[in-house]
Amino acid sequence: MALRTLPAQGELGHVFGRFIDADAPVAVTAYDGSVAGDADAPNRIDVRTPLAMSYVFSAPGELGLARAYVTGHLGVTGDLYTVLRALTAVIDGLSVADKMWIMRRLGTRYLRPVPVPPEEAPSRVRRGLLGLRHSKARDSAAISQHYDVSNRFYELVLGPSMAYTCACFPEPDATLEQAQFHKFDLVCRKLGLAPGMRLLDVGCGWGGMVAHAAEHYGVRALGVTLSREQAAWAQQDIAARGLADRAEVRHLDYRDVAETGFDAISSIGLTEHIGARNLPFYFQFLASKLRDNGRLLNHCITRPTTKETNHTGPFIDRYVFPDGELEGVGSIVSAMQDNGFEVRHSENLREHYARTLAGWCANLESNWTAAVAEAGVRRARVWALYMTASRLGFERHKIELQQVLGVKVDAAGNAAMPLRPDWGV
């Protein structure tokens, strides 16, 4: 398709200037030399090439913006969080008439095929060639897409704890490492762990929960993960900490765990990968692995209501967590109740995840050069964008983080739970 002449000098600035005030906290600079907003603003969106606009108009919404940013045709100067927060406010404020006006003014000039970045996962339809959604083969491919980037890259982003799930800040000024320690300890206390017990940690990541429970609570802990890289790192860490006699991490699908009779199960950040239709089987399976009076702590990202779609948006689905699904906490609780568990406690850690993500973003920024050398600049941009956007999502109550504690009661109805929660804050 033949391209029309590029817009006249300053036209992009004129269009953007309709929606960005001169005193806005973020400015827009364009390759045509135009500026919208304060040219001296420390935080800017830089439309570096015409291809940036082609990406945006070829896939309107978050996917087009993400493609433009990941490829570097759209850049950010200053603080990505401030820029994204301001951009989100502008986009949320656009009416249908505003969007139509932009399309009439600019759209046809940039409508042309653009290459999809290689970091982008295939569409849901094409992923179907790998098997049914949430089949073992497709889940394995999805997990590898995200987690088998580079253990060193994750060390740079996550810090020494290597915990890739929401931390729990005991005090407002607690460090990220202190908050991750507190999170693992809180899970152990909610599960009522004691020396000699057996713990199963499904979706164990780099083994943080497994190691913490073995070291500080004297349990025998087994963790399973679909990421080969995570399992190798975790086993080395367990050996280095002198825990190999009572802690183990296997590269294994949770559905292939053969052992039973566990005293407790922790599921920290796995439910997002299970799928709404599979929740009944998931909790039935976990209940089958527990002894009577055994407890399950399910820790996962949730929707604010049960009325929203379970599917994640196109950016998260294509670049971050292929096939990921988020349910409302009511759906999680119902699935637990209907499939072997009495629900005893629920806690929302939404604000804690916003703080956690802020810490990860700060780590990535301070280690940017090393992270780019390890995983490539495009992959680093993906992580910066998704973590920043997720932080805003938690702050704006678009998503939540819920911990739900269940117990497998015995035939007589005994739960062996304390009369009041005894795990503190």
Side-chain angles (χ1 to χ4, degrees), residues 6-7 9 12 29-34 47-51 53 110:
L6 291 176
Q9 180 75 7
L12 284 175
T29 63
Y31 66 89
D32 64 358
S34 60
V47 183
R48 293 171 176 165
T49 71
L51 275 178
M53 301 303 298
Y110 297 99

Side-chain angles (χ1 to χ4, degrees), residues 291-294 342 344 407-417:
R291 63 164 176 80
D292 286 348
N293 302 145
E342 179 184 33
R344 302 298 301 232
V407 62
K408 181 179 177 180
V409 300
D410 62 26
N414 298 314
M417 293 288 296

Side-chain angles (χ1 to χ4, degrees), residues 345-364:
H345 188 268
S346 179
E347 181 177 7
N348 190 341
L349 298 178
R350 175 170 66 88
E351 294 84 357
H352 293 260
Y353 217 156
R355 285 174 174 262
T356 302
L357 286 154
W360 292 342
C361 288
N363 286 344
L364 178 57

Side-chain angles (χ1 to χ4, degrees), residues 45-308:
I45 300 170
D46 303 313
V47 183
R48 293 171 176 165
T49 71
L51 275 178
M53 301 303 298
S54 294
Y55 274 114
V56 170
F57 284 116
S58 65
E62 64 181 59
L63 185 58
L65 285 167
R67 287 170 172 172
Y69 178 72
V70 169
T71 57
H73 293 285
L74 185 73
V76 168
T77 297
D79 179 47
L80 180 59
Y81 171 76
T82 300
V83 169
L84 200 58
R85 184 174 59 182
L87 179 62
T88 300
V90 170
I91 292 175
D92 287 350
L94 292 178
S95 66
V96 174
D98 290 332
K99 295 175 182 178
M100 293 300 296
W101 181 84
I102 295 171
M103 285 296 297
R104 286 195 302 269
R105 189 67 183 263
L106 295 176
T108 57
R109 293 170 178 161
Y110 297 99
L111 287 176
R112 62 171 172 178
V114 284
V116 174
E119 292 77 15
E120 184 171 312
S123 67
R124 289 190 178 101
V125 173
R126 290 182 58 199
R127 290 202 297 270
L129 299 175
L130 295 172
L132 295 175
R133 189 179 179 87
H134 298 301
S135 64
K136 290 182 180 180
R138 190 160 159 180
D139 279 352
S140 180
I143 293 298
S144 180
Q145 162 88 10
H146 186 83
Y147 293 101
D148 289 343
V149 175
S150 156
N151 284 332
R152 178 56 183 158
F153 176 81
Y154 279 107
E155 289 173 354
L156 295 168
V157 174
L158 304 180
S161 70
M162 286 296 279
Y164 197 24
T165 50
C166 175
C168 184
F169 290 76
E171 303 291 342
D173 60 350
T175 67
L176 179 59
E177 290 304 306
Q178 289 170 335
Q180 291 291 13
F181 183 97
H182 185 74
K183 180 270 298 294
F184 287 133
D185 212 62
L186 178 63
V187 173
C188 289
R189 285 180 275 123
K190 285 183 175 181
L191 290 173
L193 297 185
M197 285 186 170
R198 296 172 60 225
L199 169 71
L200 172 63
D201 185 34
V202 291
C204 68
W206 288 272
M209 176 65 191
V210 169
H212 186 99
E215 181 175 358
H216 298 283
Y217 286 81
V219 305
R220 289 175 290 152
L222 168 64
V224 294
T225 173
L226 279 176
S227 168
R228 191 179 302 276
E229 292 292 322
Q230 286 182 333
W233 191 98
Q235 278 298 99
Q236 290 179 356
D237 182 64
I238 286 170
R241 294 166 71 164
L243 301 172
D245 61 329
R246 58 187 185 276
E248 178 188 1
V249 168
R250 298 176 191 164
H251 175 226
L252 188 69
D253 191 297
Y254 80 92
R255 288 164 285 196
D256 294 326
V257 173
E259 293 91 334
T260 59
F262 289 96
D263 298 283
I265 297 176
S266 50
S267 172
I268 306 175
L270 177 59
T271 315
E272 299 90 332
H273 302 286
I274 296 300
R277 289 190 298 179
N278 296 326
L279 287 179
F281 168 81
Y282 179 62
F283 290 117
Q284 286 175 10
F285 181 84
L286 296 185
S288 75
K289 295 298 175 181
L290 282 171
R291 63 164 176 80
D292 286 348
N293 302 145
R295 301 182 195 178
L296 163 70
L297 190 287
N298 194 78
H299 167 122
C300 70
I301 302 171
T302 61
R303 298 290 189 194
T305 73
T306 58
K307 300 176 181 179
E308 299 158 79

